[in-house]
Amino acid sequence: MSMTPSKDDPSARAVRPADRVVIFDTTLRDGEQSPGASMNKSQKVQVAKALRDLGVDVIEAGFAAASPGDLEAIRAVGREVEGPIVASLARCSKGDIDAAWKALEHAPRRRCHVFLATSPIHREFKLKLAKEEIIRRAAEGVAMAREKFDDVEFSPEDAARTELEFLAEVVERAIGAGATTVNIPDTVGYALPSTYAETLRYLRKHVRGIDKVVVSVHCHNDLGMAVANSLAGVMEGARQVECTINGIGERAGNASLEEVVMAMKTRHDVLGVHTGIKTERLYPTSRLVSQVTGLHVQRNKAIVGQNAFAHEAGIHQHGMLTHRETYEIMRPEEVGFARSQLVLGKHSGRHALKERLEALGYPLADAALDGVFQDFKALADKKKDIYDADLETLVIHGQILAQGGRSFELEALSTTSGTGTLPVASVALRTAAGESLRDAATGDGPVDAVYRVIEKLTGIKVTLREYEITSVSTGEDAQGEVSIEVEHPTGVYRGRAVSTDIIEGSARAFLDVVNRIALRLAPAREPAPVDMGTV
Ligand SMILES: [Zn+2]
């Protein structure tokens, strides 16, 4: 029974050309399961809007049954982000499917993604269920989801380690029960391109009705093969790829969206498929996700790393000058990598700023531009030359501040240190309620002293695990980015901040994690139970 007039909605089973691959982004669900990467509702909506602008086809916004906070976030994405299909993960149970429906009933385009583990190890140790029971529950789960949703995806969790014959049986029954997409997850990142291709080939050959549904791939990166395996699946006829921005996700992460998409674009000669992704939005989206989650992108990361298009060796530079394609298989502009280093400064006006931001892929509305312009002026007072990287940081931080709702803000900071004296820091913070808090402390160094004061003032105590400073722009007065990782009883958190002053940047990065912890401690968001399983 169908609850909505979806007959004229092309979303559920759009007729697509045979060479069109659906990009299913799970940054907000699987990606968010990276340690320390949890996002609040407004951050999820912000990332979802960026994913829509990027052109993804499906956004998996969360796992509605995992927590009330997750359900609310999916609902907000479904309401506020028009265009892509919005999906929720669900186990094959009435409670989970009802939660997914509650989260998505108002979304114009929605999908329920049900899963059930099928591999021997999961059957025996996690589910304690016989094969027949797994088949029955999978078919029942899909049928139950189809009572509410026209668009239902089924995933046999740990498919890559499931006996082929049994896997084929489960998938066939899921299709029979009404699944419109069948996803074949390599949940633990165990497959090799050749074995994964073999699994897909077997299913295409032995599963009745498989040519009527979309076959999807979902690969984890434990052996560094998530992208390679995904592409091997596409070569065997899969027409949906599940992936995340920057490849974030549990453990070693998921297949990276930008790598999958650019491989298809650059090697169209071999793969012969295309996506709806606006590739020039890849770099800005990567930056946004990195800022929101606090997860750094390694410098040599394919496609979006800082060094992805850098040519240092003189011999390469000579080749580049003679003919770019000597060493460049993609143009940086194709992925939105802003090569230009046009410099703005103190005397640059609002109009120049607006134009430059538009060129960088940030067409801001007037109110948002006003805010960035103010921050720009403040930065220009401290720093002579303002580069693209500086501007990008201002915009993204502004968006996070505007939408993330900080609990504590830095009001004032001073430190004294020197040889033979004990480093002392005094810090003033402002709370969301407008209250001003002030204290001082000593420490092993000025940064340590600052952190001790902030811990005293906020009551949030953490163990610092990592502390790193990198330069985000060039010049003598470059901005430094401080990134830190801390441990708290509720989990691992990452934070970062940018400043021309290292101590101030360190204080702001620390406040960034403190605020993330404060958000986690807020009652609206409970961590997902660990034994729920996922794909
Ligand atoms: Zn996964």
Side-chain angles (χ1 to χ4, degrees):
M1 183 185 65
S2 177
M3 315 277 291
T4 48
S6 66
K7 298 283 175 287
D8 44 10
D9 176 5
S11 64
R13 267 157 292 170
V15 180
R16 292 190 185 85
D19 61 350
R20 171 70 156 80
V21 172
V22 171
I23 294 296
F24 176 113
D25 180 280
T26 183
T27 304
L28 299 178
R29 200 277 298 168
D30 220 341
E32 206 218 7
Q33 288 173 218
S34 312
S38 68
M39 294 171 241
N40 65 25
K41 186 168 84 179
S42 60
Q43 288 171 324
K44 278 195 165 191
V45 170
Q46 186 188 5
V47 171
K49 286 181 176 166
L51 293 170
R52 172 201 60 200
D53 296 345
L54 178 64
V56 310
D57 302 289
V58 186
I59 295 174
E60 186 165 53
F63 188 170
S67 74
D70 232 23
L71 193 152
E72 272 310 311
I74 300 166
R75 194 203 293 266
V77 171
R79 274 194 174 146
E80 293 175 44
V81 184
E82 252 181 85
I85 296 169
V86 179
S88 169
L89 189 66
R91 286 168 299 189
C92 285
S93 75
K94 183 166 189 314
D96 275 31
I97 293 163
D98 285 349
W101 178 249
K102 208 172 153 200
L104 289 169
E105 59 183 324
H106 301 293
R109 304 180 72 197
R110 52 185 173 236
R111 172 180 296 184
C112 187
H113 177 192
V114 291
F115 76 98
L116 183 66
T118 52
S119 65
I121 190 160
H122 280 251
R123 291 197 311 260
E124 189 176 337
F125 296 103
K126 191 177 83 178
L127 300 172
K128 299 184 175 36
L129 293 175
K131 284 182 177 175
E132 302 69 49
E133 184 61 11
I134 299 272
I135 292 176
R136 195 183 63 76
R137 287 197 190 188
E140 250 179 44
V142 170
M144 222 186 311
R146 273 306 301 267
E147 285 173 19
K148 295 191 162 73
F149 292 84
D150 293 306
D151 185 345
V152 172
E153 172 171 335
F154 173 71
S155 287
E157 182 187 356
D158 205 15
R161 290 194 299 172
T162 302
E163 309 92 319
L164 286 177
E165 233 173 278
F166 177 58
L167 182 63
E169 214 179 327
V170 178
V171 170
E172 189 170 299
R173 289 291 296 276
I175 294 171
T180 45
T181 297
V182 289
N183 179 44
I184 309 303
D186 180 17
T187 306
V188 293
Y190 181 70
L192 302 176
S194 58
T195 64
Y196 193 62
E198 201 183 301
T199 303
L200 283 147
R201 208 176 306 138
Y202 183 92
L203 294 175
R204 290 196 70 81
K205 201 170 158 196
H206 293 95
V207 174
R208 255 175 303 164
I210 199 162
D211 48 330
K212 304 279 191 299
V213 301
V214 175
V215 176
S216 166
V217 293
H218 179 115
C219 299
H220 277 268
N221 207 31
D222 297 67
L223 291 173
M225 268 175 280
V227 171
N229 289 341
S230 302
L231 296 175
V234 167
M235 291 181 92
E236 289 299 332
R239 286 298 176 264
Q240 172 176 291
V241 177
E242 304 197 355
C243 44
T244 62
I245 299 293
N246 300 333
I248 65 170
E250 272 191 297
R251 306 184 312 277
N254 288 66
S256 131
L257 182 149
E258 58 278 7
E259 293 175 26
V260 165
V261 166
M262 289 313 289
M264 288 179 190
K265 189 173 182 196
T266 309
R267 296 312 308 271
H268 187 265
D269 58 329
V270 175
L271 297 164
V273 291
H274 69 277
T275 68
I277 296 296
K278 297 173 190 79
T279 60
E280 64 283 0
R281 296 292 313 159
L282 286 171
Y283 184 70
T285 313
S286 157
R287 296 292 301 166
L288 173 71
V289 168
S290 170
Q291 296 280 352
V292 167
T293 58
L295 292 171
H296 237 322
V297 174
Q298 80 206 51
R299 291 190 82 89
N300 62 326
K301 166 83 172 61
I303 317 296
V304 292
Q306 283 303 303
N307 291 355
F309 294 96
H311 298 274
E312 291 286 352
I315 188 160
H316 283 208
Q317 279 175 1
H318 177 72
M320 286 285 293
L321 291 174
T322 325
H323 187 62
R324 273 175 68 165
E325 280 154 36
T326 325
Y327 288 102
E328 212 169 74
I329 61 164
M330 296 166 277
R331 284 174 302 116
E333 301 86 323
E334 268 181 279
V335 304
F337 207 96
R339 201 203 280 276
S340 139
Q341 285 285 345
L342 191 80
V343 179
L344 296 183
K346 205 180 172 120
H347 302 293
S348 307
R350 197 172 176 278
H351 187 70
L353 176 71
K354 184 178 160 71
E355 274 199 340
R356 191 64 203 144
L357 288 174
E358 270 168 17
L360 289 172
Y362 299 102
L364 296 188
D366 281 349
L369 184 67
D370 288 342
V372 174
F373 187 59
Q374 271 182 20
D375 294 343
F376 167 76
K377 283 290 178 193
L379 181 63
D381 280 337
K382 293 191 219 167
K383 186 176 187 296
K384 190 161 70 56
D385 298 326
I386 305 214
Y387 295 91
D388 289 347
D390 298 322
L391 293 181
E392 211 177 24
T393 305
L394 287 182
V395 174
I396 292 171
H397 275 251
Q399 287 173 345
I400 293 171
L401 284 171
Q403 299 194 32
R406 303 245 138 168
S407 311
F408 301 97
E409 253 184 276
L410 187 65
E411 210 171 44
L413 166 72
S414 75
T415 56
T416 53
S417 65
T419 319
T421 68
L422 202 57
V424 182
S426 75
V427 178
L429 300 181
R430 176 173 289 276
T431 67
E435 191 190 354
S436 193
L437 311 170
R438 197 173 280 275
D439 211 331
T442 58
D444 293 336
V447 171
D448 183 53
V450 168
Y451 286 6
R452 287 186 191 194
V453 187
I454 295 176
E455 282 187 329
K456 258 165 67 175
L457 290 176
T458 61
I460 293 174
K461 293 212 183 327
V462 300
T463 311
L464 190 64
R465 298 214 307 196
E466 231 179 87
Y467 173 90
E468 193 188 3
I469 302 175
T470 45
S471 154
V472 294
S473 56
T474 43
E476 267 174 38
D477 51 0
Q479 285 198 292
E481 181 177 275
V482 178
S483 26
I484 62 172
E485 186 180 296
V486 307
E487 225 179 285
H488 181 263
T490 58
V492 173
Y493 296 82
R494 292 178 151 269
R496 58 157 133 213
V498 172
S499 173
T500 51
D501 178 282
I502 288 169
I503 310 259
E504 188 197 310
S506 303
R508 291 188 187 282
F510 198 72
L511 279 174
D512 190 23
V513 290
V514 162
N515 285 324
R516 284 172 199 270
I517 295 168
L519 266 172
R520 171 57 69 94
L521 295 174
R525 175 141 189 121
E526 299 146 24
V530 284
D531 60 346
M532 295 183 75
T534 55
V535 290

